[in-house]
Amino acid sequence: QVQLVESGGGLAQVGGSLRLSCAASGSAFSILIMGWYRQAPGKQRDMVATITTGDSTNYADSVKGRFTISRDYAKNTVYLQMNILKPEDTAVYYCYVTYRRGASNVSSWGQGTQVTVSS
């Protein structure tokens, strides 16, 4: 089983930056994909960015060119560097992982970290 602990959320101004971190523990060697999702009040949880074990990345159109996802394999940690923040980036950000358990792929979520962008 893989457990996730997020950090780095908080308050930022429009145009500012924040960096989120998510550390995985447990069966981290079996991780296939790590990523970030976000959920604003009253809205569904949407994908922000993902990164595979082969470092292939995928971004939501709304964050392309502003956010960068990266992964430190030695620390089993995934990062989300968020630049040029906009008010619409305000949401709870959830770390996400898909890992191999036996013959199945299993997903796990972090507890979420609040990001608030104000003008």
Side-chain angles (χ1 to χ4, degrees), residues 29-98:
F29 62 88
S30 61
I31 290 175
L32 303 173
I33 301 172
M34 298 188 80
W36 294 92
Y37 281 64
R38 67 186 180 186
Q39 187 168 19
K43 296 187 177 182
Q44 67 181 19
R45 189 175 297 186
D46 292 325
M47 187 275 292
V48 176
T50 60
I51 184 167
T52 69
T53 300
D55 288 337
S56 176
T57 59
N58 187 38
Y59 294 93
D61 288 342
S62 60
V63 306
K64 284 181 180 178
R66 300 189 298 121
F67 291 10
T68 302
I69 190 169
S70 60
R71 189 171 163 184
D72 185 327
Y73 290 88
K75 297 180 179 180
N76 292 321
T77 299
V78 64
Y79 303 96
L80 185 68
Q81 178 67 44
M82 305 185 293
N83 299 327
I84 316 175
L85 285 163
K86 302 177 180 181
E88 51 264 42
D89 294 321
T90 295
V92 178
Y93 284 70
Y94 295 90
C95 182
Y96 163 87
V97 62
T98 295

Side-chain angles (χ1 to χ4, degrees), residues 1-5 22-31 34 71 73-77 97 99-101 108:
Q1 189 172 356
V2 175
Q3 296 81 37
L4 303 172
V5 178
C22 174
S25 61
S27 303
F29 62 88
S30 61
I31 290 175
M34 298 188 80
R71 189 171 163 184
Y73 290 88
K75 297 180 179 180
N76 292 321
T77 299
V97 62
Y99 61 98
R100 195 73 177 173
R101 186 170 69 187
S108 182

Side-chain angles (χ1 to χ4, degrees), residues 3-23:
Q3 296 81 37
L4 303 172
V5 178
E6 301 147 342
S7 60
L11 179 65
Q13 292 191 331
V14 172
S17 298
L18 284 173
R19 188 193 196 204
L20 305 182
S21 300
C22 174

